[in-house]
């Protein structure tokens, strides 16, 4: 029987699967569900300094081929997730997870939130979300290359704990080059590609209306729709980033084959968003079985044997 054991940063996980931030991780109860599930690890809902109610509803809809959301960063505030993270870390030091941090106010709140974590007892992994597409009037940080460079400079001037960045999808090879060049200058431990494809539009054919209320129906697209873009982003960064920067592959993972493809492109951990929302926690068990079947068929004993080994046509 092959193993799904995965080394990520300084931690070893039974398998690479996690939730994607935003799904099943708003409350301590949600997080407990993940902690007790078959997932190898989990990430918390992106937190802002202050608790937020988020955008007006309806703000999420499952679609035949994915999902659209404009949640608008609803969360219980950084202290809520940080206090819980510290408690979990003290109770089970070997059960690593990821604390997700965002910003509502922009640049300075990102810095302030990271300072809060630096000054806390939490010393586990942090995912800095530079790619929320759904706050009206606020652009996605990681589409501004100069600001991203400036932000990472400011943060790494004081931040000494392990962290990575959640990126939006990029669509141009030059942008992969530019962002990789920036990220390679900083002591980040990982990236997470991709966040949802921002500002898509889904129309209800019967009523000729949009399906979510915020931003006139514009929202982040996830699920099956986004897999080719997600794979391209994982692959593009895998071939451009320093070897010590690991990749969390997120986007369009519905089954074992999707997971296998993300790993083949170079991902180390794998996050599931839309399909977790649709299927619930049982998704983790199913996908692991499917991935193990594929590995068995191909004669692989471990993920390390095929990670990153996507073949090109000569
Ligand atoms: O609307 C959200 O809360 C949200 C966030 I922070 C994000 O990073 N990605 C997304 O699709 N939705």
């Amino acid at each position: 029987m092959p193993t799904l054991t995965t080394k990520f940063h300084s931690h070893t996980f039974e398998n690479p699967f996690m939730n994607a931030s935003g799904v099943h991780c708003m409350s301590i109860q949600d997080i407990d569900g993940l902690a007790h599930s078959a997932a190898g690890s989990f990430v918390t809902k992106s937190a802002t300094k202050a608790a937020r109610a988020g955008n007006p509803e309806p703000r999420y809809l499952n679609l035949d081929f994915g999902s659209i959301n404009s949640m608008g960063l609803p969360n219980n505030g950084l202290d809520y997730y940080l206090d819980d993270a510290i408690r979990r870390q003290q109770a089970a030091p070997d059960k690593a997870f990821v604390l997700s941090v965002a910003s509502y106010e922009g640049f300075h709140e990102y810095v302030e939130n990271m300072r809060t974590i630096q000054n806390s007892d939490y010393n586990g992994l942090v995912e800095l979300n530079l790619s929320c597409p759904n706050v009206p009037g606020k652009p996605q940080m990681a589409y501004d290359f100069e600001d991203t460079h400036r932000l990472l400079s400011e943060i790494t001037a004081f931040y000494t704990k392990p962290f990575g960045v959640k990126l939006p999808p990029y669509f141009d090879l030059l942008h992969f080059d530019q962002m990789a060049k920036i990220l390679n200058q900083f002591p980040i431990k990982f990236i997470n590609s991709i966040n949802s494809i921002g500002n898509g539009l889904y129309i209800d054919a019967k009523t000729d209306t949009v399906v979510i209320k915020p931003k006139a129906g514009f929202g982040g697209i996830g699920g099956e729709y986004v897999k080719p873009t997600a794979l391209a982003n994982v692959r593009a960064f895998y071939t451009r980033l320093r070897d010590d920067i690991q990749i969390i592959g997120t986007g369009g993972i519905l089954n074992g084959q999707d997971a296998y493809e993300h790993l083949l492109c170079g991902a180390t951990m794998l996050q599931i968003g839309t399909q977790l929302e649709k299927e619930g926690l049982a998704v983790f068990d199913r996908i692991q079985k499917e991935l193990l079947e594929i590995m068995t068929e191909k004669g692989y004993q471990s993920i390390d044997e095929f990670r990153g080994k996507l073949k090109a046509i000569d």
Side-chain angles (χ1 to χ4, degrees):
M1 182 74 163
T3 172
L4 297 180
T5 303
T6 299
K7 287 207 175 93
F8 183 68
H9 185 49
S10 59
H11 308 284
T12 301
F13 298 102
E14 272 175 34
N15 66 75
F17 294 99
M18 308 171 67
N19 64 307
S21 182
V23 182
H24 214 296
C25 59
M26 185 78 78
S27 67
I28 288 174
Q29 200 181 359
D30 292 334
I31 297 167
D32 278 338
L34 287 166
H36 295 122
S37 77
S41 185
F42 61 85
V43 58
T44 56
K45 171 66 188 173
S46 289
T48 49
K49 180 175 163 54
R52 287 178 44 75
N55 292 337
E57 296 180 352
R59 58 191 187 181
Y60 180 99
L61 190 70
N62 282 324
L63 311 172
D64 285 351
F65 300 104
S67 64
I68 185 167
N69 89 84
S70 184
M71 303 300 289
L73 263 169
N75 75 94
N76 292 313
L78 179 57
D79 286 348
Y80 175 92
Y81 300 100
L82 187 55
D83 291 349
D84 180 61
I86 292 165
R87 267 195 305 274
R88 282 178 201 280
Q89 202 170 45
Q90 284 166 353
D94 55 335
K95 291 247 172 199
F97 55 89
V98 179
L99 178 69
S100 176
V101 186
S103 157
Y104 176 68
E105 301 289 349
F107 194 96
H108 295 291
E109 190 193 325
Y110 273 121
V111 176
E112 200 183 331
N113 291 342
M114 290 301 272
R115 208 180 283 283
T116 301
I117 301 170
Q118 174 67 28
N119 293 336
S120 78
D121 288 337
Y122 180 69
N123 53 25
L125 300 166
V126 166
E127 177 175 293
L128 185 65
N129 185 353
L130 301 180
S131 47
C132 176
N134 299 328
V135 182
K138 307 277 167 79
Q140 292 169 74
M141 172 62 73
Y143 281 146
D144 186 326
F145 294 84
E146 242 175 68
D147 265 12
T148 297
H149 186 279
R150 200 160 58 88
L151 180 64
L152 291 175
S153 298
E154 266 198 39
I155 288 171
T156 54
F158 65 84
Y159 198 81
T160 57
K161 300 174 184 183
F163 83 103
V165 293
K166 176 92 175 253
L167 297 173
Y170 297 98
F171 304 92
D172 193 287
L173 296 186
L174 178 66
H175 292 165
F176 292 129
D177 292 342
Q178 289 173 330
M179 185 45 70
K181 191 174 166 197
I182 291 168
L183 297 171
N184 280 334
Q185 294 169 37
F186 295 100
I188 60 167
K189 305 297 181 197
F190 65 91
I191 64 155
N192 184 343
S193 270
I194 58 173
N195 207 317
S196 55
I197 296 184
N199 297 298
L201 190 58
Y202 188 85
I203 297 170
D204 183 325
K206 284 204 193 84
T207 63
D208 295 357
T209 50
V210 300
V211 294
I212 54 173
K213 183 167 174 181
K215 291 174 70 177
F218 285 59
I221 305 296
E224 201 171 339
Y225 286 121
V226 313
K227 188 177 80 168
T229 297
L231 293 175
N233 276 259
V234 170
R235 188 65 184 167
F237 283 114
Y238 183 76
T239 54
R240 285 168 176 76
L241 292 175
R242 290 193 321 261
D243 287 348
D244 63 301
I245 301 178
Q246 290 179 299
I247 299 177
I248 302 178
T250 306
I253 301 180
L254 283 69
N255 56 44
Q257 177 62 27
D258 301 324
Y260 181 81
E261 290 172 14
H262 267 265
L263 296 166
L264 207 54
C265 287
T268 296
M269 299 299 281
L270 302 169
Q271 293 186 348
I272 304 175
T274 299
Q275 192 58 30
L276 170 59
E277 172 62 37
K278 288 182 175 182
E279 189 175 337
L281 294 171
V283 71
F284 292 114
D285 200 40
R286 174 180 64 78
I287 288 198
Q288 282 176 59
K289 285 194 182 119
E290 291 172 0
L291 177 57
L292 282 167
E293 265 171 41
I294 292 168
M295 287 169 63
T296 303
E297 261 170 42
K298 292 183 184 274
Y300 292 124
Q301 290 303 311
S302 73
I303 292 171
D304 287 343
E305 291 167 30
F306 64 90
R307 176 180 300 102
K309 300 215 168 114
L310 178 66
K311 296 177 195 160
I313 299 172
D314 295 328

